[in-house]
Amino acid sequence: MDLRIFTEPQQGASYDTLLTVAKATEALGFDAFFRSDHYLHMGGVEGLPGPSDAWITLAGLARETRRIRLGTLMTAATFRLPGVLAIQVAQVDQMSGGRVELGLGAGWFEEEHRAYGIPFPKEKFARLEEQLEIVTGLWETPVGETYSYDGTHYQLVDSPALPKPAQSRLPVLVGGHGATRTPRLAARFAAEFNMPFASVEDSVRQFGRVREAAEAAGRKGDDLVYSNALVACVGKDNTEVARRAGAIGREVEELKENGLAGSPAEVVDKIGRYTEAGASRIYLQILDLDDLDHLELISSQVQAQLG
């Protein structure tokens, strides 16, 4: 089981804070550092010092880390034109020496679009499909050839399809709860399918749908990595769990029901249930980025037991 650290910087984090967490992620043996792609905080937080851009952040981290994978859960297709996104991601992959992964989603948070003057189209899923086709198509076009695309939402004419990522096939992640279109997109474009904030039972059902879609598309179901994203709140004892839950404004029992919370033994046991559901990777949503002791505890007491 791979454990990855997943942050939500829109809730309040400077680049320096993210760099500190990313370096701890690497030093403590976690597989990857991922971040959300949002421009507005959610819930009862101030979000200071303000939003940071996902791909600018990852570009900086690409030069400051050496081993961990870097990526987004999920880049919003509404934020960037697909040709520009393909350039940005390929360049950050080069800057990292080939450690980048692109999670790409439709975008959903209308308020952040209004706050920063970003168009919020009514039909988002069709745009996501075209973006996936364009980004992967640009990367797959042989050097020296051009790429053109005539879609409903985007048109490209004789693009040189440059630059290329450092990786010969940069991993693309697709995720979500949709029963039909989401599995189809994952089967067509993704190296990994991510199930965000879902129960074991719902994960079993959705992973099954993605496997069926992959086989219908001519792929093996096991061609994809299956993963979950879950909030983490781990403590040596009940007092520490309660303190960490309070620091992020959550209740312990709710976190135990909907995330990975409790003692290291409790969390290892629940991760085992997700493993049985088909997951081989967990994104640990860490909401208190100043609590590096939390990462150390997860590394030494949870990750160590997963071997």
Side-chain angles (χ1 to χ4, degrees), residues 125 175-184 193 195 206 209-210:
F125 202 90
H177 296 256
T180 305
R181 293 192 296 178
T182 297
R184 178 175 57 80
F193 178 79
M195 189 62 168
Q206 189 70 335
R209 293 183 186 119
V210 174

Side-chain angles (χ1 to χ4, degrees), residues 20 30 42 55 62 67 118 140 169 178 180 193 205 217 220 268 272:
T20 298
F30 292 104
M42 305 168 199
W55 287 101
R67 178 188 59 80
I118 304 168
E140 292 168 1
R169 185 171 292 274
T180 305
F193 178 79
R205 283 190 289 271
K220 295 180 180 179
V268 168

Side-chain angles (χ1 to χ4, degrees), residues 77-78 80-86 102 104-106 123-139 147-156 172 174 181 184-185 188-189:
T78 49
R80 299 166 184 86
L81 297 171
V84 175
L85 179 62
L102 169 64
L104 187 58
E123 177 48 72
K124 293 179 289 297
F125 202 90
R127 290 174 181 268
L128 170 62
E129 183 166 8
E130 290 194 11
Q131 286 220 3
L132 285 163
E133 185 161 352
I134 291 166
V135 170
T136 56
L138 286 167
W139 292 339
Y147 176 83
S148 296
Y149 181 83
D150 186 16
T152 301
H153 303 286
Y154 305 103
Q155 295 79 39
L156 287 75
V172 172
V174 170
R181 293 192 296 178
R184 178 175 57 80
L185 283 191
R188 187 175 172 195
F189 296 107

Side-chain angles (χ1 to χ4, degrees), residues 231-250:
V231 63
C233 182
V234 189
K236 295 190 297 289
D237 51 38
N238 291 338
T239 299
E240 192 167 80
V241 174
R243 176 177 62 79
R244 288 197 165 114
I248 61 174
R250 303 280 284 271

Side-chain angles (χ1 to χ4, degrees), residues 121-283:
K122 182 177 181 180
E123 177 48 72
K124 293 179 289 297
F125 202 90
R127 290 174 181 268
L128 170 62
E129 183 166 8
E130 290 194 11
Q131 286 220 3
L132 285 163
E133 185 161 352
I134 291 166
V135 170
T136 56
L138 286 167
W139 292 339
E140 292 168 1
T141 299
V143 174
E145 298 184 15
T146 60
Y147 176 83
S148 296
Y149 181 83
D150 186 16
T152 301
H153 303 286
Y154 305 103
Q155 295 79 39
L156 287 75
V157 179
D158 294 336
S159 171
L162 297 171
K164 302 300 185 191
Q167 299 172 86
S168 59
R169 185 171 292 274
L170 189 150
V172 172
L173 289 70
V174 170
H177 296 256
T180 305
R181 293 192 296 178
T182 297
R184 178 175 57 80
L185 283 191
R188 187 175 172 195
F189 296 107
E192 177 178 337
F193 178 79
N194 179 260
M195 189 62 168
F197 311 112
S199 67
V200 171
E201 294 75 18
D202 286 343
S203 298
V204 169
R205 283 190 289 271
Q206 189 70 335
F207 291 163
R209 293 183 186 119
V210 174
R211 288 179 181 278
E212 290 175 3
E215 290 167 2
R219 299 177 66 183
K220 295 180 180 179
D222 289 340
D223 282 350
L224 285 83
V225 172
Y226 297 87
S227 63
N228 287 90
L230 296 159
V231 63
C233 182
V234 189
K236 295 190 297 289
D237 51 38
N238 291 338
T239 299
E240 192 167 80
V241 174
R243 176 177 62 79
R244 288 197 165 114
I248 61 174
R250 303 280 284 271
E251 297 293 331
V252 172
E253 291 308 312
E254 178 268 322
L255 286 169
K256 287 187 176 184
E257 176 69 23
N258 298 312
L260 295 173
S263 68
E266 288 178 287
V267 170
V268 168
D269 179 70
K270 192 163 186 182
I271 288 175
R273 293 169 56 199
Y274 280 97
T275 302
E276 292 173 358
S280 61
R281 182 171 291 159
I282 300 285
Y283 292 82

